[in-house]
Amino acid sequence: MCDTRSAPPVVALPQASQPLIGGTVTSPNTTVPTASGSRRRRLWELEGHAFCPIIGVCLPLPLLRRLTAKALGTVPAHSDYEVHCMAVTECRRRSPLADAVQKDLDQRYALVIRATQPLKSTEALARWWDDCRDRAHEGRADLASALWAALTHPRCDYLLEQRILGEVHMLQHQIGTATRADLSRLEALQEENAILARELAGAQQRSQQQARHFGAQLEAQEASALRMRAELIQAQTRLQQLQEAHDRLHAASPQLPERQALAQRNRELQEELRQTRLELRETREHREQERDRADRAEHALALASGMDQPAKTSGPVETSRSEALVPTRLEGCAVLCVGGRQASVPVYRELIEHRGARFLHHDGGTEDNTSQLDATLAAADLVICQSGCISHNAYWRVKDHCKRTGKRCVFLDQPSRSALERALGDLGWELPVESARTLSGVNLLK
């Protein structure tokens, strides 16, 4: 309890059978008067136990300090409890501090005071107080304003005042207990808040790191997209330039599509010609093989039937055929062999020189100079051309020279000994027998 400096009057509590509100309450020791009149009671007129809850509940401590300093002069640096006890003592009597507190509370709670003016009985005031108290418990009303308006109301008697003060006293105990619980919860919440704050700081740091990382990735992607966009613009510009160049070429060469079609057709024909030449070469090789087999078979048949002796029943035709098989003599002639394999040149030389001719050779432009071919052709009496082993230039040179000069030219498909022997044999068959026998000194090619 507060230090009141003087003991309050001793009041006997009413018995249980006595009425709590209104009327005159009698006891063996004290008589409690009923409230009368319409003037509101002043602060210093209240019962001694009312000052502590009124000053503690209805006045905030900063305001109490200001009022105390204003009414009593400079207040030393007392504690809140000492200021409270000082105000309670001063308000027990009419003093400057009591007048200041009375004026401030009337102004502060003027609306609530006006709301209690219609209450004309102690029972109505009690019901109003109960309603304000319940609503204050629910947080829907202000208990301080209701306390000041009820205690100073003209219909507040002694019993109602004691009940109100008791309820406020118990309510202060409950508020203190709740405050301590709230403080415990506050400490726990502060500790949890500190933990959450540290976790939040860590999360914010990680978030900032991720934001910087993703920001760097985004900048790199934007730079890459910018480079790709520039490359795309360059490619589009280059494509447009090429398209313009194509349009100019197309305008300058209106027959370009036809030429391109002809060039494509030319390539197709060249491919067909190459395939045809390959097929022709295979056919010639097959023909040579068949001819060699036929010659071997004919030779074997001649040996088996005694062809070494002339048949008695042979007619003039067989005699002329036997005479025509005499190897052609080419004494004094110059025989030029154009083309052929280098390994077969000695064989060609042997066959030609065996028939009494002079052997000349030109490789058809493979190693020998093509310009020397004209002089060699001019010196030859007979030309044997290996068409499959010379260049196109040499082939046309040989053909053109022989056509202009009328020289005899024999074309061989295969560069072999048997092919050359057959060519020389065919040469003998094509000439008369007398010409073949007297070929020496005679120009056969003219």
Side-chain angles (χ1 to χ4, degrees):
M1 294 297 293
C2 301
D3 184 9
T4 58
R5 296 186 182 180
S6 62
V10 178
V11 180
L13 294 177
Q15 299 298 323
S17 60
Q18 296 174 343
L20 295 178
I21 303 174
T24 303
V25 180
T26 61
S27 65
N29 299 325
T30 305
T31 299
V32 180
T34 60
S36 63
S38 61
R39 186 182 67 85
R40 298 184 63 83
R41 294 192 295 176
R42 301 295 184 261
L43 176 62
W44 52 87
E45 296 176 355
L46 298 178
E47 196 272 331
H49 293 287
F51 300 107
C52 181
I54 289 177
I55 294 176
V57 174
C58 299
L59 285 176
L61 281 174
L63 177 60
L64 180 61
R65 283 184 174 274
R66 289 198 302 269
L67 293 176
T68 304
K70 183 178 180 180
L72 303 178
T74 303
V75 179
H78 297 297
S79 64
D80 294 339
Y81 176 73
E82 292 174 346
V83 173
H84 175 78
C85 293
M86 185 183 304
V88 169
T89 302
E90 291 292 328
C91 290
R92 286 182 179 275
R93 59 183 177 84
R94 186 170 185 176
S95 63
L97 180 59
D99 289 336
V101 172
Q102 176 74 34
K103 181 179 179 181
D104 183 83
L105 292 177
D106 287 342
Q107 291 177 355
R108 181 182 297 272
Y109 305 124
L111 294 177
V112 181
I113 291 173
R114 284 195 295 269
T116 60
Q117 290 178 357
L119 304 175
K120 301 302 181 180
S121 64
T122 304
E123 292 80 2
L125 180 62
R127 288 193 297 270
W128 179 83
W129 163 255
D130 293 337
D131 182 66
C132 291
R133 180 199 59 201
D134 295 339
R135 289 191 292 118
H137 288 171
E138 297 174 358
R140 297 185 293 112
D142 183 19
L143 184 64
S145 60
L147 176 63
W148 173 250
L151 290 180
T152 59
H153 195 274
R155 294 296 178 264
C156 181
D157 60 3
Y158 177 78
L159 295 178
L160 180 58
E161 179 181 352
Q162 293 298 317
R163 184 165 70 88
I164 293 174
L165 292 176
E167 291 177 356
V168 171
H169 180 76
M170 295 307 299
L171 182 60
Q172 287 178 332
H173 285 296
Q174 294 175 5
I175 292 175
T177 302
T179 302
R180 287 191 296 272
D182 291 340
L183 289 175
S184 300
R185 287 195 297 271
L186 179 61
E187 292 177 356
L189 290 175
Q190 287 177 347
E191 183 178 358
E192 183 180 0
N193 183 46
I195 296 174
L196 293 176
R198 289 193 296 270
E199 294 180 355
L200 178 61
Q204 287 178 346
Q205 185 177 3
R206 291 191 298 271
S207 177
Q208 291 176 358
Q209 292 178 355
Q210 292 180 355
R212 288 193 295 268
H213 176 69
F214 289 131
Q217 288 186 346
L218 180 61
E219 291 179 358
Q221 291 178 358
E222 289 178 351
S224 178
L226 184 60
R227 289 194 300 270
M228 295 177 65
R229 193 177 297 111
E231 293 176 357
L232 177 61
I233 293 174
Q234 293 178 356
Q236 291 177 348
T237 304
R238 179 59 179 167
L239 179 62
Q240 184 177 2
Q241 293 175 354
L242 293 176
Q243 184 64 35
E244 293 176 355
H246 176 269
D247 295 340
R248 289 194 299 268
L249 290 175
H250 185 75
S253 302
Q255 298 179 353
L256 182 61
E258 292 78 2
R259 294 180 181 178
Q260 291 177 348
L262 291 176
Q264 180 65 24
R265 180 58 180 167
N266 186 25
R267 287 191 292 269
E268 294 175 356
L269 292 176
Q270 289 181 354
E271 180 64 22
E272 293 178 0
L273 179 60
R274 187 181 67 84
Q275 294 293 337
T276 303
R277 286 180 177 177
L278 290 177
E279 294 175 358
L280 179 60
R281 180 175 298 178
E282 293 176 358
T283 303
R284 288 175 178 176
E285 291 178 354
H286 181 69
R287 188 186 65 181
E288 291 294 334
Q289 294 174 1
E290 293 295 333
R291 184 177 293 179
D292 291 340
R293 284 196 296 269
D295 292 342
R296 287 194 297 270
E298 184 180 357
H299 181 66
L301 181 61
L303 292 178
S305 59
M307 289 297 294
D308 53 331
Q309 295 180 0
K312 295 182 180 180
T313 58
S314 298
V317 177
E318 294 294 334
T319 303
S320 62
R321 178 69 54 85
S322 299
E323 290 179 356
L325 290 176
V326 178
T328 304
R329 304 296 297 174
L330 302 175
E331 287 85 355
C333 294
V335 179
L336 173 61
C337 184
V338 181
R341 301 186 180 94
Q342 292 294 332
S344 302
V345 173
V347 178
Y348 302 158
R349 182 184 299 275
E350 180 183 358
L351 289 175
I352 298 301
E353 292 180 352
H354 181 71
R355 284 168 172 76
R358 183 163 56 89
F359 177 75
L360 300 177
H361 179 260
H362 192 280
D363 62 2
T366 304
E367 294 182 0
D368 298 337
N369 193 350
T370 309
S371 60
Q372 299 177 358
L373 182 59
D374 295 334
T376 308
L377 288 171
D381 298 320
L382 176 64
V383 179
I384 298 175
C385 180
Q386 307 272 353
S387 59
C389 300
I390 62 175
S391 63
H392 293 285
N393 187 16
Y395 175 82
W396 291 110
R397 282 175 178 266
V398 170
K399 190 172 183 180
D400 182 68
H401 179 81
C402 294
K403 184 176 180 180
R404 286 187 292 103
T405 60
K407 290 183 180 180
R408 182 66 182 278
C409 181
V410 180
F411 292 94
L412 299 181
D413 297 333
Q414 296 294 328
S416 61
R417 180 187 182 95
S418 59
L420 182 59
E421 288 178 348
R422 282 193 297 273
L424 295 176
D426 292 341
L427 180 62
W429 279 92
E430 292 174 3
L431 294 176
V433 179
E434 291 81 3
S435 299
R437 291 180 176 178
T438 59
L439 189 61
S440 176
V442 180
N443 190 354
L444 298 178
L445 298 178
K446 295 183 180 180

